[in-house]
Amino acid sequence: MVTKKVPAVHEVTYSSPESYYDTWESRIGYKLVLGGRRHFAYYEPGTLWPFPLGPAMKRMEDHLYTSLDLHPGAMVLDAGCGAGQVALHMAHKGLQVQAIDITKNHVRWTQQKIKAERMQDMVTAGWGDYHDLNGMGAESFDGIYTMETLVHSSDPAKAISELYRVLKPGGHVAFHEYDHIDASRPPPGCPPDLVEAVIRVNSRSGMPANQLFDRGVLQRIMEDQGFEDIKSRDLTENIRPLMRFFYLLAYIPYLIICLFGLQAYFVNTEGGVAGYRALRRGYWRYMVFTARKPVINGPRRRKSE
């Protein structure tokens, strides 16, 4: 059997996150299906029925809050705030939140929600790119989190370096992100067309870092930048009910889309099918990575050095 060469990250052309989130499919899908949120929901393992979605989405936000392990009043950075629901949830928990995003509509919607909920004293929102936080002073935040946004990074090492710089010594980070098995060595029984579909979804949804994040890659980047006490937790089984729902919702439309060769216009539909297939095959995982910045900064180096 001839094995196809898996393209490297730099060999794939990626859409920008802004263009992905501004497509009509994304706007309608996120609004109607997820209530405007941009992240997965949390369920107890073994759950079959995913509804109602709202409380399950908030349980994932509660998990993020717990993972940060910060006291009320702590200043945190939401590095990729989406439509603002997570930032507001953290604020209602008592955290002071500075939210940034590179998508102008996300910033505008977040600002509108902050005003509507009269949370201006707890949350601010503005345009910002986690690759370049020069407008923020060093050691400004007690905590930093991402909710499925580092996967959009074009240079995750640079992004993590910037997040490390603006984090106070002793500060905590929590990254809710994805990883997967090396695409060049997929697990036994993983169809080649599935790997190709995942690559297409990463390309069309502006997720170059998701293509890069083989298992262990994000932890090594965090180590290289100086983080310590790095821990990971696999939440794949906790999101399975929602992934299964996406698959069932998308499967028939996906067959029609494939029949007419329209996959390029329906990335979320293909992603709903490919994502659940990848989960079932053990190729793809939903992970939480936590760490802290050393209280006394020393030279950044690998643990093995």
Side-chain angles (χ1 to χ4, degrees), residues 142-160:
D142 300 296
I144 298 172
Y145 65 84
T146 64
M147 182 65 96
E148 305 169 31
T149 57
L150 272 180
V151 290
H152 290 296
S153 173
S154 59
D155 188 343
K158 184 176 181 181
I160 296 294

Side-chain angles (χ1 to χ4, degrees), residues 99-258:
I100 62 170
D101 204 285
I102 60 172
T103 301
K104 292 180 180 178
N105 279 333
H106 285 174
V107 174
R108 177 169 58 86
W109 296 335
T110 300
Q111 291 172 339
Q112 290 171 349
K113 289 183 176 71
I114 293 169
K115 184 176 181 180
E117 297 190 22
R118 299 181 179 179
M119 293 292 286
Q120 294 95 327
D121 291 340
M122 298 294 293
V123 194
T124 62
W127 189 94
D129 184 345
Y130 51 42
H131 297 98
D132 184 0
L133 299 174
N134 284 334
M136 298 180 182
E139 302 180 358
S140 299
F141 298 97
D142 300 296
I144 298 172
Y145 65 84
T146 64
M147 182 65 96
E148 305 169 31
T149 57
L150 272 180
V151 290
H152 290 296
S153 173
S154 59
D155 188 343
K158 184 176 181 181
I160 296 294
S161 178
E162 276 291 87
L163 297 179
Y164 185 94
R165 181 182 66 81
V166 301
L167 185 66
K168 293 178 182 179
H172 296 184
V173 296
F175 302 141
H176 279 228
E177 301 295 338
Y178 323 137
D179 73 7
H180 51 79
I181 291 174
D182 184 347
S184 65
R185 294 188 295 273
C190 186
D193 74 291
L194 175 56
V195 175
E196 293 168 2
V198 171
I199 292 172
R200 283 197 302 273
V201 171
N202 287 336
S203 170
R204 292 166 180 166
S205 56
M207 296 197 295
N210 194 36
Q211 187 66 28
L212 177 68
F213 285 163
D214 296 341
R215 293 184 183 182
V217 167
L218 182 52
Q219 294 99 311
R220 288 194 293 274
I221 293 173
M222 293 168 71
E223 281 185 16
D224 289 345
Q225 299 307 323
F227 283 105
E228 64 181 18
D229 195 24
I230 300 170
K231 298 177 181 177
S232 64
R233 183 178 178 188
D234 187 343
L235 297 189
T236 305
E237 288 306 309
N238 302 100
I239 70 161
R240 183 183 288 267
L242 188 58
M243 292 291 289
R244 184 189 301 114
F245 168 65
F246 287 162
Y247 176 82
L248 295 173
L249 180 68
Y251 187 71
I252 298 302
Y254 176 67
L255 294 179
I256 297 172
I257 289 165
C258 290

Side-chain angles (χ1 to χ4, degrees), residues 51-91:
F51 304 105
L53 294 182
M57 305 289 283
K58 290 182 179 180
R59 285 196 297 271
M60 184 63 84
E61 294 163 10
D62 287 339
H63 190 285
L64 172 61
Y65 173 79
T66 301
S67 298
L68 272 174
D69 190 25
L70 294 171
H71 56 80
M75 177 64 72
V76 299
L77 175 65
D78 182 330
C81 64
Q85 289 93 338
V86 179
L88 282 163
H89 191 79
M90 296 296 125

